[in-house]
Amino acid sequence: MSATLSASTLLAIPLAPLAGAILAGVFGTALGGNFFGRRWSHTLTILGVLISFVLSASVLLKVIQDGARFNETLYTWMVVGGLKMEVGFLVDGLTAMMMCVVTFVSLMVHIYTMGYMEEDDGYNRFFGYISLFTFAMLMLVMSNNLLQLFFGWEAVGLVSYLLIGFWYNKPTAVFANMKAFLVNRVGDFGFILGIGLIVAFAGTLNYTEIFGKAGDLAKLNFPGTSWMLITVICICLFIGAMGKSAQFPLHVWLPDSMEGPTPISALIHAATMVTAGIFMVARMSPLFELSDTALSFIIVIGSITALFMGFLGIIQNDIKRVVAYSTLSQLGYMTVALGVSAYSVAVFHLMTLACFESLCIVAAGSVIMGVHHNQDIRWMGGLRKYMPITWMTSLIGSLALIGTPLFSGFYSKDSIIEAVHESHLWGAGFANFAVLAGVFVTAFYSFRMYFLVFHGKERFDQNPDAHHDSHKDGHHDSHHDAHDEHADDHKPHESPWVVTMPLILLAIPSVLIGYLTINGMLFGDFFKDAIFVDAAKHPTMKELAVNFHGAMEMAVHGLTTLPFWLALAGVASSYYMYMVNPALPTAIKRIFKPIFTLLENKYYFDWFNENVLAAGARRLGALLWANDKHVIDGGAVNGSWKLVNLVSGLVRRVQTGYIYHYAFWMIAGVFVLMTYFVGYPMLNQLLIK
C-alpha cells in the first residue's frame, strides 16, 4: 500500500457527487421545499462531479507514475461469526481507470443535461438522479469486497430504474423501466448465488482473501454433483454480468431503456452501468482463469450478442435505438474478450467505447434537438450544413465505432479480434466468425444512420407524424417547445454550447486515447496486480505481445487486414444502398420478408418473454392466489376456527353441571384405561399362545 494515496481523498471521490445528489434531489425538489432553483441544482451537482473527476485523475496519475496502490478497510459494518462485512477501497490500475471513465463521462453528461433538459419540469430531480448514479457507480468500482460491490451493483440498478422511467406519465417509459428492473433481477439472482457460494466455501467477502483461496476452491466439487465448484461460482457470477451488461438472452431491456432522456443513455448504457459486468468479470479474473468451461460459456454468449444484436441495428429507424443495438454489439465484443482470457483488452475496449459510444449517443441527442424532436432517421437528411459540429463529431464517433485505423476503437476492437483468433478454447471458432462478421454489420448500420442523417436529400420537413408522436403521451424531450418558438420554419439548427462542448470533449479521446494507451494497458504493467492470466493455459495475451510492434505500426498494418476491408465494404454498401440506389433496400426487404419480419420482431424474444414467461408467471400467481384463498385462508385459517367452534360446542354439551354426569364419565374413563392396560395385554398373550 502506498502512502501517496490517502483514505480521505479516496473517500471524497464518491461522496462529492453524493453531496450534490442530496442537495439537488432533496432541496431542489418539492421534497425539500424547492429551496434550490435550477441554477443552484446544476451548479452543485456539476461541482461535485468535477471534484470527483479531478481527484480521480490525480489518483490515476499517481498509479501510473508512482505505482501507488491502496487496499484498506475503512469501516466494519458488522461481524457475523467469522464473516466480516466491511466498507473499503481497492485502488489499482483497473480501479483508477474506471474511476476516470465514470467521472469524465458523468461530467460531460451533466454539462450536456443543462441544454438537453432545459425546459423539463423535472430538471432538478434529473440532476439529483444522475449525480446519485455517479456515486453508486464509484462505490461499485472502488470496492475491495463483494458486499460493497453488490451494494453499488444494486444501487446503479435502482437509479437506472428511476432514470429510465423519468417521464413516469409516459406508458412506454414505465414499461421500459419495469422491464429493465425485472430482467436485471434475473441476472442479480445468479450473481448473489455466486457470492453466496464464495461466502459458504471461502468464508470471506474480501477480494484479496477470496483470491488467496482460489486454488482451494478449484479442488472442490459442487455438493452432490461432479461439477467443479469454481465453474458453478463463475457461471453464477457471469449471469449477473449478463443482466447488467445486457448479454443474450438478458439483453432485451437495453433497447427499450432508450425511452428515458438521452443523457441517461450516454451515462448508463454506453459508459458506466452496462460496463459494470465487464469490470466485475475482469476483477474476478483469478477465479475465472480456473474454469475453462466458464470461459467457453462466456465466449459463446458474447459471440451471439456481438453478431445477432448487430443484425437488429440494420433495420432500426429510431436514431437512439440504432445506437442502443450498437452498444449491445460492442458489449458482446468485450464479453468475448473476457472469455478468451484477454481481460485487459476487454477493459481497454470498455474505456475506448465509453468515449466514442457516449459521443454517438450525445450526438444523436443533439440531432434530435436540432430537428425539433424527430427521432426517425428516414425523415432527416442533409443535416451536415445545418449542424456542422454535430456532423463532424458524429463522424468521428462512427469512424471510431467501426474500427478505423488510428481511431481509438480500432486499437481495442482489432485487439479483440486478434485475441479471439489466437484462442484455442471451445467456442473460439464461432467467436472468430462472429467478431469478423460483426465488423461488416457494425460498419453497415453505423454509416446507414450517418448517411441518412447528414447526407442526401433533406427530408426533415416531410414527416407529418413527428410532432404528433412527441405529444401524444403528454411527455416529450425538454427542448421541443423551446425550439419551436425560435423555428417557425422548422429548419434544423446547431445545438447550444452546453451540448456541443461535451461533443468536442468526447471526440478528442475517441480519436487519441487508443493510440496513447494501448502499449501500457495491454502490454505494460498498468494492470499489474489487478488482472491475472494463466499464461501457460491461456497464452492469448502472450501471442498478442509478440505480434505488437507499436501503435503506429499496428495502424499501418491494419490497413491490410481483413477487418479493415470488411469495415470498408460495410461503409461502401451502406453508401450505395442509401445514397446511390435507395430502391435497393426496399427490394431486399421484399425478397427477404421472412428474415426482415424475424429481425423486426427482435427474434421474438419480447413475444416469448411476455406471452410465455410473464403470462406463465401471472397464471402461477393466480394459482397461488387461489391456493392462498381456498386452502390457506379457507382451510387452514377459517377451518381452524370452525374446528375450535365445533369442539367447543361438543364440550359445552358435556359440561352439564350435574355431579352424577361427571361421576359417570370418570367411571367410564377408568373402565377404558383398565381395559387398555389390563385387558389388552391378556388378549395379546392369548393370541400368541
Side-chain angles (χ1 to χ4, degrees):
M1 180 182 66
S2 174
T4 58
L5 292 179
S6 71
S8 57
T9 300
L10 295 176
L11 197 58
I13 292 173
L15 291 184
L18 177 62
I22 293 172
L23 292 171
V26 176
F27 299 105
T29 63
L31 182 64
N34 293 309
F35 186 76
F36 291 138
R38 292 179 172 236
R39 179 171 295 182
W40 274 104
S41 292
H42 71 234
T43 300
L44 290 169
T45 51
I46 291 174
L47 180 62
V49 177
L50 177 62
I51 292 171
S52 185
F53 171 65
V54 171
L55 293 176
S56 297
S58 69
V59 168
L60 178 62
L61 194 63
K62 291 176 181 178
V63 168
I64 295 172
Q65 293 183 345
D66 305 329
R69 296 290 187 271
F70 186 93
N71 188 8
E72 268 189 27
T73 297
L74 302 181
Y75 173 70
T76 300
W77 179 39
M78 68 170 69
V79 179
V80 181
L83 182 65
K84 296 180 179 179
M85 300 183 185
E86 303 167 329
V87 176
F89 293 148
L90 168 62
V91 179
D92 49 24
L94 178 59
T95 301
M97 183 272 291
M98 288 295 299
M99 289 162 59
C100 285
V101 167
V102 170
T103 53
F104 173 68
V105 175
S106 179
L107 180 60
M108 296 298 102
V109 168
H110 274 72
I111 297 171
Y112 175 81
T113 299
M114 293 169 61
Y116 198 86
M117 302 292 289
E118 184 181 2
E119 301 297 323
D120 199 281
D121 293 336
Y123 186 86
N124 295 355
R125 176 166 59 94
F126 190 84
F127 272 98
Y129 285 168
I130 57 177
S131 197
L132 182 62
F133 179 90
T134 307
F135 158 75
M137 195 66 198
L138 286 168
M139 291 298 289
L140 188 158
V141 301
M142 295 175 69
S143 65
N144 71 344
N145 62 86
L146 287 171
L147 178 68
Q148 188 177 325
L149 173 72
F150 191 73
F151 162 76
W153 192 273
E154 293 301 311
V156 295
L158 169 63
V159 185
S160 172
Y161 172 84
L162 296 173
L163 285 167
I164 295 170
F166 180 78
W167 291 315
Y168 49 80
N169 290 327
K170 188 178 178 183
T172 52
V174 174
F175 179 81
N177 76 346
M178 183 59 68
K179 188 176 183 178
F181 182 83
L182 293 175
V183 173
N184 272 276
R185 296 293 70 74
V186 175
D188 292 353
F189 181 69
F191 188 44
I192 201 168
L193 285 178
I195 294 175
L197 287 172
I198 291 174
V199 172
F201 290 94
T204 181
L205 290 162
N206 186 273
Y207 292 162
T208 304
E209 295 175 4
I210 293 170
F211 300 154
K213 296 181 180 182
D216 296 331
L217 294 175
K219 299 175 183 177
L220 301 175
N221 287 339
F222 188 73
T225 71
S226 59
W227 304 339
M228 291 177 60
L229 176 66
I230 197 70
T231 297
V232 178
I233 290 174
C234 290
I235 290 177
C236 286
L237 293 176
F238 180 67
I239 289 173
M242 287 168 62
K244 198 67 72 184
S245 295
Q247 295 297 291
F248 167 89
L250 302 182
H251 65 278
V252 294
W253 67 270
L254 193 143
D256 285 359
S257 66
M258 293 293 172
E259 288 292 333
T262 299
I264 68 107
S265 301
L267 182 62
I268 294 177
H269 308 132
T272 54
M273 190 185 96
V274 293
T275 61
I278 307 299
F279 165 80
M280 183 272 294
V281 175
R283 176 61 76 193
M284 295 291 141
S285 59
L287 299 182
F288 282 88
E289 281 298 284
L290 297 171
S291 175
D292 285 358
T293 303
L295 292 176
S296 292
F297 179 72
I298 294 172
I299 291 173
V300 173
I301 294 296
S303 303
I304 294 172
T305 307
L307 181 59
F308 290 93
M309 297 305 109
F311 286 147
L312 295 181
I314 296 174
I315 66 160
Q316 302 301 316
N317 295 315
D318 186 312
I319 190 171
K320 290 174 67 174
R321 289 192 177 249
V322 176
V323 183
Y325 283 105
S326 168
T327 304
L328 275 174
S329 181
Q330 298 307 305
L331 286 166
Y333 274 85
M334 287 183 245
T335 303
V336 170
L338 294 172
V340 298
S341 294
Y343 306 98
S344 56
V345 179
V347 295
F348 181 48
H349 193 54
L350 183 159
M351 179 187 69
T352 62
L353 181 82
C355 298
F356 64 74
E357 197 74 34
S358 297
L359 174 61
C360 289
I361 293 178
V362 171
S366 180
V367 169
I368 294 170
M369 292 168 57
V371 294
H372 313 288
H373 199 64
N374 171 33
Q375 295 185 197
D376 196 324
I377 61 177
R378 294 171 298 180
W379 303 107
M380 297 182 184
L383 297 184
R384 182 180 63 169
K385 67 178 181 180
Y386 299 102
M387 308 178 71
I389 299 175
T390 302
W391 161 65
M392 182 54 65
T393 52
S394 184
L395 177 60
I396 290 172
S398 299
L399 290 172
L401 173 62
I402 69 172
T404 308
L406 284 177
F407 287 79
S408 61
F410 161 76
Y411 291 102
S412 55
K413 197 171 182 179
D414 214 60
S415 296
I416 292 174
I417 295 170
E418 286 295 319
V420 173
H421 182 72
E422 298 293 343
S423 177
H424 301 290
L425 288 171
W426 188 89
F430 171 62
N432 191 52
F433 166 77
V435 295
L436 283 173
V439 172
F440 175 85
V441 174
T442 302
F444 183 85
Y445 67 66
S446 298
F447 274 83
R448 169 182 176 264
M449 180 181 71
Y450 169 77
F451 289 132
L452 287 176
V453 172
F454 295 105
H455 296 273
K457 183 181 178 182
E458 297 177 359
R459 302 176 301 277
F460 45 78
D461 57 347
Q462 301 176 20
N463 183 11
D465 299 322
H467 299 286
H468 173 73
D469 291 342
S470 67
H471 286 284
K472 67 182 179 181
D473 294 320
H475 257 299
H476 51 279
D477 280 4
S478 55
H479 283 282
H480 181 75
D481 294 334
H483 292 317
D484 283 352
E485 294 174 2
H486 304 289
D488 295 332
D489 59 353
H490 287 84
K491 288 286 186 181
H493 55 83
E494 188 59 271
S495 301
W497 72 268
V498 289
V499 173
T500 56
M501 186 180 76
L503 284 171
I504 296 169
L505 293 177
L506 285 168
I508 295 170
S510 296
V511 178
L512 298 175
I513 197 166
Y515 179 89
L516 297 175
T517 61
I518 182 172
N519 188 50
M521 292 188 71
L522 299 193
F523 310 110
D525 59 355
F526 183 77
F527 291 123
K528 181 183 177 182
D529 304 326
I531 290 174
F532 171 77
V533 178
D534 188 344
K537 290 176 60 181
H538 310 127
T540 301
M541 293 306 299
K542 185 186 292 185
E543 296 294 331
L544 288 184
V546 171
N547 297 324
F548 181 75
H549 303 289
M552 182 57 70
E553 289 79 1
M554 182 177 177
V556 173
H557 176 69
L559 296 171
T560 64
T561 59
L562 181 59
F564 172 76
W565 292 106
L566 287 171
L568 186 61
V571 174
S573 299
S574 64
Y575 180 80
Y576 177 77
M577 292 175 66
Y578 294 97
M579 294 290 102
V580 179
N581 188 7
L584 182 59
T586 305
I588 294 174
K589 176 183 174 181
R590 185 174 61 253
I591 296 170
F592 298 98
K593 183 66 175 178
I595 296 176
F596 179 84
T597 302
L598 179 66
L599 296 177
E600 193 173 41
N601 287 279
K602 297 173 282 188
Y603 308 115
Y604 292 95
F605 274 102
D606 285 339
W607 181 91
F608 178 80
N609 290 334
E610 292 172 21
N611 294 279
V612 178
L613 296 182
R618 287 194 296 269
R619 290 191 182 96
L620 179 62
L623 179 64
L624 293 175
W625 170 246
N627 177 71
D628 179 78
K629 183 178 180 181
H630 297 292
V631 178
I632 298 176
D633 290 345
V637 177
N638 294 331
S640 61
W641 73 259
K642 289 179 180 179
L643 179 63
V644 170
N645 186 57
L646 177 64
V647 172
S648 65
L650 295 173
V651 171
R652 281 198 304 272
R653 294 179 181 275
V654 176
Q655 297 285 349
T656 62
Y658 294 108
I659 294 177
Y660 60 85
H661 284 170
Y662 299 148
F664 171 77
W665 288 113
M666 289 175 64
I667 293 169
V670 170
F671 176 76
V672 171
L673 291 173
M674 289 183 67
T675 300
Y676 179 78
F677 288 107
V678 178
Y680 178 76
M682 292 175 62
L683 179 62
N684 191 40
Q685 288 180 2
L686 290 172
L687 291 173
I688 293 173
K689 290 179 180 180

